[in-house]
Amino acid sequence: MRQIVRVALVFVAALECDEPQGAQRLRRTFGWETGSPFQQVYSVEQDPEGFLWIGSHQGYFRYDGNEFKRVLPAESFAGQIKGCTGVGRQLVLVPGPAPAGEQIVELRSGMASPISRPPTATDLPIGDRACSEHGALWLVIQGHVFRQLPDGGWKQVVESDPLDPVRRIFRGRDGGMLLATLEELREIDRYDNVSTIARIRAVGHAVIDNDHSILALTWRRDGGHLHRLTPGSNRELLHWPGRPMALEVRHGTAWVGFDGALIAVSSDGMIENLDAGRPHSFDKSLNAADLVFDQEGALWVAEWHGVSIFSQPETRAFVHRATASRWLTRRDGKLLTSSWDSTALVETDGSTPRIEPFPLPSIAAFCVDPSGRTWGGLFDGLTLLDKNGAVSTGIGGPIGDVGPCAIDRSGAVWFPTNEGLFRLAPQGTRPVPVQARSEAIHSALVDSQGMLWIGNSEGAVCYQHPEQDPIDQWHCEQLPLPRPVFDLIETSRGEIWACSRGIHRRLGPDRWESLQTSDRSVELTHVAGLAPSPKGGIWALGAGVVVRLADRVENATVATLERLGAWQGMPVNGAKDAIEEPDGTIWLSGGLGLIQVPARAREVARVPTRVAITALRADQTELPIQGDFTLPYQSNRLEVRASAFSYRDPARIRYRYRLRDRDDWSESVSDPVFRFYNLAPGDYSLSVAASLSGADWTSITTSVPFRVLRPWYLHPLFFACLTAIAAATGWWLYRLRVTRLLSLERQRARIAMDLHDAIGSGLGSIGLLAGVGARASSAPEQRQVLSDQIAKIAAELGMSLSEIVWSLRPGSEQLSNLASYLKERAHLLFDPSRVRFETVFPENWPDLALSLPMQRNLMAIALEALGNAARHARPTRIELGIQPRQRGWLLWVDDDGLGLAAGVNPGTGMGLDNMRRRAQEIGGEIEIGPGSGNSGTRVQISFDPSR
């Protein structure tokens, strides 16, 4: 026992000598160590669009939250590249040729455009520049002050004072500017009237505070000095032994950048060192730290090794002995916090908490009993700090870890421990064990009805009424899962919730329900603590979980009212215990110590101000952000990169898109890059929205129109050509049909004419002859002659009808079939015993079809020539020939008969005119002359079957 007491006393002595360490904040750094393309950073600015601009030795970069894009290169080591953000303007100074040495460049949408300088100072170096709150550019050139006019011209508003010229210029009040000389600080209003504010030397930076006072930062031999200037007053707020580099003010707190330090000076005079970076050389050619608060309130710090962002610099973790904080308790308006090796008392009044060691050793939760005594716990038993400040240890024997106590209506204190439940009677001096169950007790609660609830390590919740039930009589219920019950709480609705690697609520005797949240990103399986919120609801605490849940349950689901994390500047993800102040400030015990989240940090809306498309690529080719481009059909690949310009908690940003205004939004994703392949033809208007909560989305202000071309067969020109071709084809088919109909009509007319000529007249002759033979006065001899004539005419009519019928048969259009038919008819005309009939035909007939007119006319001409030879020429040889020629074909009938010289007329019956008419009709040439042996007759016709 003495050994235990000795260890405890040594422990207390160590606490009394220990001093609390500085506060830590959530901080992310971009530099060469993290793969960023720069190292030594001179300046950091944010333009009205939301882009961050970073000036460094490696150039001037634009950051959209996804990538750093070099906009201007650094041409020399000594060149100062600094931003000047005005309303809608981003102006920088870049190195230039001597003698002026620098030129002004304005950046818009990533494009650099030079700005002309005052005509009277084109060859003079620029001393300083700044932008007014209205975006006007002001320059200091060798003590002269110039203001840029709206039309781009310049006006000199202050002439150089030879004794004390203007050296620096800063943004002032109501559109005016602040002018710093070596000896004093002056103010020039928007009407160009100059007045002296204060006699103060070497002002390097000056800003306007919320109360319209002026904060001035000076550099003297002993270091930097921060002054607050009001009419008739000059109060020094800070002296720091280092070179001052930058100054910003926000919410009444001044943030001052020095070589090797970042100092916060609160409105109540509290000074805090944020340890912004390590000291480096005082070489004047270096542009050291710069500060800027972005549109979301995050603080950006330009440092020698990169650029850092403090998501919420007012949120901080107070580290004591570099160990995690476990439990929080209220004591006399102050906070008590315990860790694994120390305890501390936190004075929460004022903007900067004061932390001092607490003399009561404890690794467990503190408990303040009704008499004002403070109880803690170590492995060897309970510890006690009485009203006189005396410390006692080892009370009750070894008990292990101790959870938060519960005090019933009688004033008795109940301690949940690893060794069971202990009870301290009202005004008692030693807690005694209570035989509840043999398992470890982790939590205890006295509800509004006076009921005592405890939770053990086996997932059981037991309860009794201390004023009515015996001390060892308990009613126990089992939770859905057999896991330790870490905490119990009563909601504003009177419900009992139990925390057991998840949250369960009691529905009635032996009825417990597991709860889930409406926020899919919140997991309740790692919750290990519950705490009430004055704003309403319950804080659920655990590894990676600090959320405020509504205590209204619907279908076993609770709404997530608030979630703390990187957005609120928490330097560690998760907490074990929490106490919320009535003003909204919340204190958390976490892995880095005691975390303070101010109410102001919780009030920042988690809604991105805007979202924009920052890059468009099609097949690795950069496209204009404004859109109005075209993509080919099918083989199109479009890559879109968006940015929400939210830097505090980039892991929470969600994006969605739609390709047309009438389309539904896509599923939300965390990746800001969208890729589209083989988009269908049509017009598109790509829109992107962003959200930090998954519920509140940015309004769409811009869209990117573009078009995917149709395939060639869907283009209007193709349709026009296709329509023209279809119309021409229809017209051609129509004309072809008309021609065909006309040809058929001509054939019908020709057939009718042939029937009329060949059969009509013959039938008429038969009728006349038959009438003459039927007369009674006709002699028998005359009747015989008439009968012979009728038979002859009938035979000729049969032959003519046979010719007409044959010409209409399928296959008769072939030239070879026509030759066979003419050969067959010729054998019927000539007696083989008297006339030798010969043919001259090709050995191999081509597949040559004749049109019906050509077939009919050729047959008529050939049969007429054969008939004339048979009736009039009395030949001994007849030759029928069909042979190809160089152009077309030749048909001839050659005999060795009497010939034309003997008066034979081959045109009798048809006539030469009809034969020539038929030849002309088919485009042929007919020749009638002597036969091949200079005797007889030769009739030949040349024709072209393709006509």
Side-chain angles (χ1 to χ4, degrees):
M1 183 64 184
R2 294 180 179 177
Q3 182 67 22
I4 297 176
V5 174
R6 188 179 299 113
V7 172
L9 292 177
V10 172
F11 183 70
V12 172
L15 290 178
E16 292 177 349
C17 297
D18 191 23
E19 291 295 334
Q21 299 180 17
Q24 294 188 10
R25 288 167 168 81
L26 176 61
R27 172 183 175 185
R28 289 180 290 124
T29 300
F30 303 97
W32 67 274
E33 293 177 334
T34 59
S36 301
F38 49 77
Q39 179 177 349
Q40 292 180 326
V41 177
Y42 303 131
S43 66
V44 57
E45 300 282 350
Q46 185 179 34
D47 65 19
E49 292 182 274
F51 290 101
L52 264 294
W53 297 84
I54 299 169
S56 71
H57 274 305
Q58 289 72 34
Y60 204 62
F61 294 85
R62 189 189 74 176
Y63 181 53
D64 60 6
N66 300 314
E67 63 179 354
F68 294 94
K69 182 177 181 180
R70 193 194 308 268
V71 178
L72 294 175
E75 299 180 0
S76 68
F77 178 82
Q80 292 185 353
I81 306 178
K82 299 189 295 183
C84 174
T85 304
V87 179
R89 305 189 73 183
Q90 177 71 4
L91 301 160
V92 299
L93 295 179
V94 298
E102 293 172 325
Q103 67 180 100
I104 311 168
V105 172
E106 181 168 7
L107 301 174
R108 288 184 179 177
S109 301
M111 301 298 292
S113 304
I115 294 180
S116 62
R117 293 166 53 157
T120 59
T122 56
D123 297 332
L124 301 177
I126 297 174
D128 198 11
R129 85 283 175 264
C131 292
S132 71
E133 61 183 2
H134 303 307
L137 175 62
W138 294 66
L139 297 179
V140 176
I141 300 178
Q142 290 191 346
H144 302 282
V145 180
F146 298 86
R147 174 168 52 87
Q148 190 180 31
L149 302 176
D151 60 1
W154 291 91
K155 177 183 179 181
Q156 181 174 334
V157 293
V158 176
E159 292 187 1
S160 177
D161 184 347
L163 300 178
D164 193 14
V166 176
R167 302 175 61 191
R168 301 294 306 275
I169 186 169
F170 315 102
R171 187 176 301 178
R173 296 172 286 200
D174 300 326
M177 303 297 287
L178 301 176
L179 309 177
T181 69
L182 184 60
E183 299 293 338
E184 61 185 20
L185 183 66
R186 303 169 183 170
E187 184 174 22
I188 180 171
D189 62 19
R190 55 183 175 177
Y191 304 108
D192 299 338
N193 299 314
V194 180
S195 60
T196 299
I197 295 177
R199 296 283 298 178
I200 183 171
R201 288 182 55 84
V203 174
H205 300 273
V207 296
I208 307 299
D209 202 351
N210 297 341
D211 59 359
H212 295 285
S213 63
I214 298 175
L215 296 177
L217 184 62
T218 66
W219 186 21
R220 303 174 192 171
R221 184 173 300 178
D222 58 351
H225 298 259
L226 179 65
H227 300 260
R228 181 179 297 278
L229 305 178
T230 57
S233 173
N234 180 352
R235 184 164 61 96
E236 182 173 298
L237 303 179
L238 171 69
H239 168 225
W240 192 265
R243 180 175 60 161
M245 303 301 296
L247 174 63
E248 282 288 336
V249 63
R250 178 175 179 264
H251 297 156
T253 299
W255 303 83
V256 190
F258 292 89
D259 276 334
L262 177 60
I263 308 299
V265 182
S266 63
S267 57
D268 58 3
M270 298 300 296
I271 299 174
E272 184 181 358
N273 181 7
L274 275 71
D275 190 23
R278 297 180 180 179
H280 55 77
S281 171
F282 282 83
D283 187 347
K284 293 182 180 180
S285 63
L286 290 178
N287 183 17
D290 190 15
L291 305 175
V292 67
F293 281 95
D294 65 18
Q295 296 168 355
E296 295 176 323
L299 175 62
W300 292 81
V301 182
E303 303 181 71
W304 69 274
H305 59 278
V307 60
S308 297
I309 173 177
F310 293 84
S311 296
Q312 177 53 262
E314 295 171 331
T315 296
R316 46 203 166 179
F318 300 95
V319 182
H320 189 75
R321 294 178 58 87
T323 186
S325 177
R326 300 193 66 212
W327 297 101
L328 300 176
T329 308
R330 280 287 185 191
R331 182 180 185 272
D332 298 332
K334 301 179 181 180
L335 285 181
L336 275 177
T337 176
S338 63
S339 65
W340 286 110
D341 65 354
S342 65
T343 61
L345 185 65
V346 183
E347 176 65 65
T348 59
D349 295 337
S351 59
T352 303
R354 293 184 295 274
I355 303 177
E356 58 186 25
F358 191 64
L360 181 63
S362 177
I363 64 170
F366 288 109
C367 178
V368 181
D369 66 19
S371 62
R373 296 174 298 179
T374 304
W375 296 82
L378 292 172
F379 292 106
D380 60 342
L382 293 172
T383 61
L384 173 63
L385 177 67
D386 63 20
K387 297 179 180 180
N388 299 321
V391 176
S392 302
T393 61
I395 302 174
I399 58 174
D401 204 0
V402 181
C405 66
I407 303 175
D408 64 22
R409 292 178 175 179
S410 68
V413 182
W414 301 81
F415 294 95
T417 76
N418 286 353
E419 298 298 326
L421 184 66
F422 283 72
R423 180 178 182 273
L424 176 66
Q427 304 301 322
T429 59
R430 179 174 293 273
V432 296
V434 176
Q435 298 298 326
R437 297 186 64 178
S438 59
E439 293 83 4
I441 307 299
H442 297 288
S443 55
L445 167 70
V446 175
D447 65 16
S448 57
Q449 304 300 319
M451 192 75 70
L452 173 64
W453 302 79
I454 60 173
N456 67 17
S457 60
E458 300 298 326
V461 176
C462 303
Y463 60 93
Q464 67 161 236
H465 201 295
E467 298 177 359
Q468 301 174 5
D469 298 332
I471 195 170
D472 58 350
Q473 182 177 343
W474 296 87
H475 307 280
C476 295
E477 300 171 351
Q478 187 68 38
L479 295 182
L481 296 176
R483 295 175 178 175
V485 181
F486 293 108
D487 208 353
L488 292 165
I489 196 170
E490 182 181 16
T491 70
S492 61
R493 299 175 180 273
E495 295 180 342
I496 302 299
W497 286 13
C499 171
S500 177
R501 297 297 182 189
I503 301 177
H504 314 274
R505 72 163 177 162
R506 188 173 186 268
L507 300 176
D510 292 317
R511 294 179 59 205
W512 289 84
E513 178 182 57
S514 299
L515 302 181
Q516 60 183 0
T517 66
S518 57
D519 189 348
R520 296 179 181 177
S521 63
V522 175
E523 291 285 347
L524 299 181
T525 55
H526 299 292
V527 173
L530 301 172
S533 171
K535 289 187 175 182
I538 303 295
W539 284 103
L541 311 167
V545 181
V546 182
V547 295
R548 184 164 60 93
L549 304 176
D551 55 9
R552 181 182 181 87
V553 182
E554 294 183 2
N555 299 324
T557 302
V558 294
T560 301
L561 302 178
E562 186 177 359
R563 183 177 182 180
L564 301 184
W567 180 266
Q568 289 76 23
M570 286 187 56
V572 63
N573 188 14
K576 180 175 178 59
D577 199 4
I579 291 180
E580 183 177 352
E581 304 279 7
D583 66 355
T585 299
I586 184 169
W587 300 87
L588 302 167
S589 61
L592 287 181
L594 179 63
I595 302 171
Q596 180 198 27
V597 181
R600 187 182 295 114
R602 296 173 56 191
E603 295 169 356
V604 179
R606 289 188 292 113
V607 179
T609 55
R610 62 186 297 267
V611 63
I613 295 173
T614 55
L616 288 171
R617 295 184 180 90
D619 295 326
Q620 304 305 316
T621 301
E622 292 286 343
L623 298 175
I625 302 299
Q626 294 77 15
D628 256 348
F629 55 86
T630 58
L631 297 177
Y633 172 67
Q634 281 191 340
S635 59
N636 55 71
R637 292 179 296 177
L638 179 63
E639 179 179 294
V640 181
R641 182 182 294 274
S643 176
F645 304 109
S646 179
Y647 309 99
R648 294 179 64 159
D649 190 2
R652 295 188 60 84
I653 303 176
R654 307 290 294 179
Y655 295 90
R656 65 182 185 180
Y657 69 87
R658 61 185 179 189
L659 289 171
R660 298 182 178 92
D661 293 341
R662 65 177 181 272
D663 294 346
D664 295 331
W665 287 103
S666 67
E667 292 291 331
S668 62
V669 295
S670 58
D671 189 359
V673 179
F674 309 107
R675 295 177 177 86
F676 306 95
Y677 301 93
N678 296 334
L679 290 172
D683 294 327
Y684 294 89
S685 181
L686 176 64
S687 301
V688 180
S691 174
L692 289 167
S693 62
D696 300 319
W697 294 87
T698 52
S699 59
I700 301 303
T701 57
T702 59
S703 60
V704 177
F706 66 95
R707 174 176 296 177
V708 177
L709 299 178
R710 299 181 178 90
W712 60 270
Y713 52 82
L714 292 180
H715 276 272
L717 181 60
F718 172 78
F719 278 108
C721 295
L722 186 62
T723 302
I725 293 173
T729 303
W731 174 254
W732 177 76
L733 291 175
Y734 170 76
R735 295 302 304 167
L736 186 63
R737 185 172 181 274
V738 170
T739 303
R740 179 65 176 171
L741 292 175
L742 291 176
S743 176
L744 291 175
E745 185 63 27
R746 285 195 294 267
Q747 291 179 19
R748 293 190 188 99
R750 187 176 294 106
I751 292 171
M753 182 181 65
D754 290 344
L755 290 174
H756 180 271
D757 293 344
I759 297 177
S761 59
L763 292 176
S765 298
I766 290 175
L768 292 174
L769 292 175
V772 174
R775 296 176 183 175
S777 58
S778 298
E781 296 82 1
Q782 185 179 8
R783 290 179 178 177
Q784 182 64 41
V785 172
L786 292 173
S787 298
D788 293 341
Q789 290 179 349
I790 290 172
K792 182 178 179 182
I793 292 173
E796 291 178 353
L797 289 178
M799 293 296 293
S800 297
L801 184 61
S802 175
E803 293 174 5
I804 294 172
V805 172
W806 181 88
S807 65
L808 298 177
R809 290 172 55 190
S812 62
E813 70 276 3
Q814 294 291 325
L815 181 61
S816 59
N817 292 337
L818 176 62
S820 298
Y821 181 77
L822 293 176
K823 179 180 177 181
E824 181 181 347
R825 288 292 305 275
H827 280 295
L828 297 176
L829 293 175
F830 302 104
D831 185 0
S833 61
R834 296 182 180 180
V835 179
R836 185 175 77 254
F837 179 72
E838 299 176 352
T839 58
V840 180
F841 294 155
E843 293 184 4
N844 298 314
W845 288 97
D847 184 13
L848 184 60
L850 304 175
S851 63
L852 184 60
M854 182 167 288
Q855 173 216 52
R856 290 283 299 135
N857 287 306
L858 288 176
M859 184 175 64
I861 293 172
L863 290 177
E864 180 66 22
L866 291 172
N868 287 340
R871 290 191 295 269
H872 306 294
R874 291 178 283 179
T876 60
R877 182 187 66 83
I878 294 293
E879 181 181 271
L880 173 64
I882 299 178
Q883 287 290 334
R885 300 184 62 180
Q886 184 177 3
R887 295 182 179 178
W889 289 74
L890 182 66
L891 183 151
W892 71 86
V893 175
D894 190 286
D895 66 74
D896 59 353
L898 298 178
L900 297 177
V904 177
N905 186 2
T908 302
M910 179 181 291
L912 292 176
D913 292 339
N914 285 340
M915 294 178 71
R916 290 191 174 94
R917 179 181 59 80
R918 289 184 178 274
Q920 184 178 4
E921 185 175 343
I922 63 175
E925 295 181 2
I926 189 168
E927 297 180 9
I928 302 175
S932 57
N934 293 327
S935 63
T937 305
R938 181 181 178 89
V939 178
Q940 69 177 20
I941 179 172
S942 59
F943 61 94
D944 185 358
S946 63
R947 298 187 61 178

